[in-house]
Amino acid sequence: MVYLDHAATTPVPRPVADAMYQVLAEQFANPSAQYAMGLEMKKQVERQRETVARALGCAAKQLHFTSCGTEGDCWAIRAAVWQNRRLGRHIVTTAVEHSAVLESCRQLEQEGCEVTYLAPDSDGVIKAEQVLQAVRPDTALVSVMLVNNELGTVFPIADIARGLKRKNPQTLLHTDAVQGFLKVPFSARTLGADFITISAHKIGGPKGIGALYIGDRVRNPRPLLPGGGQEAGLRSGTEATAQIAGFAKAVELRTERLSETLAEMAALRDYAAAAFTAIPDCRIVGGGTAPHVLALALVGYPSQNIVNDLSAQGICISAGSACHRGKPSHVVAALHLPKEVQGSVIRISFGPETTREDIDACAAALRRHHDTRFPRL
Ligand code: PLP
C-alpha cells in the first residue's frame, strides 16, 4: 500500500503506540486520584503538556488539551466572541477555512453575529491587507488558518497580528494551525495569535486529542465544559491520558530532527511536482508552499474516478479534504477555476515516512489513469 494522504491523518509510529499502551495497561490511574499512581499520572500529564507547549513555543499553562482540532476551533471562536461581546459581533474569516471554523461561524450567524468570508485569489492566497481591510471597529474576532489543508497555502498570520494591533487592538485573532504545527516553522511567542489550534493525528499522534493555545490577552475565558475543573477549570473531563501520552511522544519524535525532516519533505514535494507535471494534462493547483501538501488537477478527469482507480491499485490519495466525504470541496470552489480543472483536483500529501518510490508508484498509476480513461469533464 502507498499512503499519500498525510493531511487527512498519519500512521502512529511504534514508540507512540507503546507510550499509549503503557498508560492504558499499566499507568491507568485517573490523574485526579489522590493515591501515588494518580499523583504520578497528574505529574506525567503536566510533563507531557510541557513537551507539546515547548514545541508550540508557549508556556505549559497556556496549552489546554482538547479532544481534537475541531474542538479547538469551535472553542476558540466561541471564547473570542464571548470576550468581545461588548465590542461587537462581527467576525472576519476566509472562505477556505476548515469546516470546523466555517460551521462555527454559520452557527454564530444564526445567533446574531455578522461574518465576512474573504475570498482567496485563484491561487488560494489570502493577503494580510485584505484581512485588515475587512476589520471594523466592531470586529470581535479574526479567524484565519495558518496552512490550508487542501492547497498547502500558508497564510500571513504574523502580519495579520501586527496589523490588527495597530488597527483594532481589541480584536482577537485565532489561527487554525492543525496543518501548520511541526510542518512550517512558527512559535506561539512570535506569531501574535490569541488562540492557536493544533491536533495530534496530523503529526504521527493518535486521533482524538488536540490542544488549544490561549494567550494572555484572553481574560477569564468562559469554561467550555464546566465540571470537575480539569484543564485549568476551562475544559472539565477526565484527561485522555493515553492520547496525551501519544501526543507528547509524537511531538518528541517529530521535533528530534525537525529542520532536516522539513527540508527532506520539501525536496520530496519538488520531486513529486516534477514527476506529476510530466504527465500530460496534469498541473499544479494553487500557490501552496507547505512541505507536505501538493494539490494537482488531471484536467478533464473527474477526481473521484482518479481516487477510486488509484485506490484499486493500492494507492491512497484524496479528492480534497477527507472531511467532505465525496461532496465538492468548498476550497477548490473558492478558486473559481474552469469546470474541467475544478472537477479534477486531487491532493497528494506526505509525511516523513514517504519515499521517492511512493511518489513514483503514484505518478505511474496517475499516468495509467490518464492513458486508459477518457476525460469526461
Ligand atoms: N483544521 C484543519 C486545517 C484540518 O485539516 C483538520 C483536519 O482535517 C481539522 C481542523 C480538524 O482536526 P481534527 O480532525 O483533529 O478534528
Side-chain angles (χ1 to χ4, degrees):
M1 201 247 308
V2 172
Y3 184 76
L4 292 173
D5 201 18
H6 288 251
T9 198
T10 54
V12 163
R14 187 79 215 193
V16 171
D18 286 347
M20 294 179 70
Y21 180 78
Q22 219 241 333
V23 172
L24 287 168
E26 289 160 31
Q27 283 183 288
F28 51 82
N30 187 322
S32 300
Q34 291 305 303
Y35 37 84
M37 185 167 44
L39 298 173
E40 180 43 42
M41 271 323 285
K42 174 88 189 137
K43 280 195 206 140
Q44 186 169 308
V45 165
E46 293 318 312
R47 280 198 298 274
Q48 288 158 347
R49 190 188 308 280
E50 293 232 346
T51 302
V52 180
R54 202 175 315 120
L56 190 59
C58 67
K61 68 175 172 28
Q62 296 172 310
L63 190 104
H64 306 274
F65 288 117
T66 59
S67 68
C68 56
T70 298
E71 182 183 317
D73 284 346
C74 298
W75 183 8
I77 290 168
R78 289 252 157 206
V81 168
W82 172 256
Q83 168 156 326
N84 276 338
R85 61 196 178 284
R86 285 189 195 89
L87 180 72
R89 295 177 67 75
H90 177 236
I91 300 170
V92 176
T93 188
T94 81
V96 295
E97 296 298 308
H98 188 268
S99 321
V101 168
L102 292 177
E103 291 305 317
S104 293
C105 287
R106 288 201 185 106
Q107 219 178 42
L108 284 164
E109 279 178 305
Q110 287 165 4
E111 295 169 27
C113 286
E114 190 191 335
V115 184
T116 301
Y117 299 94
L118 298 170
D121 68 13
S122 59
D123 274 335
V125 170
I126 301 265
K127 295 210 167 70
E129 304 84 72
Q130 193 186 347
V131 176
L132 295 168
Q133 261 164 25
V135 171
R136 312 187 312 214
D138 65 338
T139 304
L141 165 71
V142 170
S143 180
V144 176
M145 68 204 319
L146 183 60
V147 174
N148 182 271
N149 44 315
E150 295 190 39
L151 303 170
T153 36
V154 181
F155 294 155
I157 303 303
D159 293 343
I160 295 171
R162 270 191 293 276
L164 262 186
K165 281 189 185 110
R166 277 195 301 272
K167 183 161 182 184
N168 204 7
Q170 255 183 280
T171 302
L172 292 168
L173 176 62
H174 164 240
T175 188
D176 172 341
V178 167
Q179 296 289 348
F181 182 51
L182 303 184
K183 305 280 174 53
V184 296
F186 76 93
S187 157
R189 214 159 279 127
T190 49
L191 196 63
D194 300 295
F195 299 93
I196 304 174
T197 306
I198 58 174
S199 179
H201 75 105
K202 310 293 187 181
I203 56 146
K207 294 164 192 59
I209 183 80
L212 181 67
Y213 158 86
I214 304 183
D216 295 341
R217 290 188 342 132
V218 184
R219 292 174 305 279
N220 304 320
R222 200 160 67 141
L224 174 73
L225 299 177
Q230 292 90 344
E231 299 301 312
L234 297 181
R235 184 196 182 272
S236 294
T238 302
E239 293 86 345
T241 48
Q243 267 85 352
I244 292 172
F247 193 0
K249 182 53 82 178
V251 165
E252 256 173 57
L253 294 180
R254 285 276 172 126
T255 45
E256 255 166 28
R257 45 189 298 281
L258 185 61
S259 40
E260 291 91 333
T261 305
L262 293 181
E264 284 158 18
M265 275 165 64
L268 196 66
R269 189 183 178 283
D270 291 346
Y271 178 80
F276 288 115
T277 50
I279 300 168
D281 298 318
C282 190
R283 64 183 233 204
I284 291 174
V285 173
T289 53
H292 67 303
V293 179
L294 189 61
L296 300 164
L298 191 63
V299 179
Y301 295 77
S303 40
Q304 195 55 51
N305 292 357
I306 303 172
V307 172
N308 296 347
D309 191 12
L310 266 59
S311 167
Q313 301 177 54
I315 298 171
C316 306
I317 62 158
S318 152
S321 164
C323 300
H324 293 109
R325 297 178 199 284
K327 280 189 270 156
S329 147
H330 65 278
V331 175
V332 175
L335 306 185
H336 297 292
L337 300 168
K339 186 170 141 274
E340 66 281 11
V341 181
Q342 177 170 315
S344 65
V345 175
I346 53 173
R347 178 186 71 185
I348 317 279
S349 53
F350 331 111
E353 306 86 353
T354 310
T355 62
R356 287 188 173 204
E357 289 70 37
D358 295 332
I359 302 293
D360 293 343
C362 183
L366 199 60
R367 184 179 283 271
R368 258 194 311 276
H369 185 85
H370 175 271
D371 293 348
T372 56
R373 305 294 174 99
F374 292 109
R376 283 210 284 113
L377 287 167

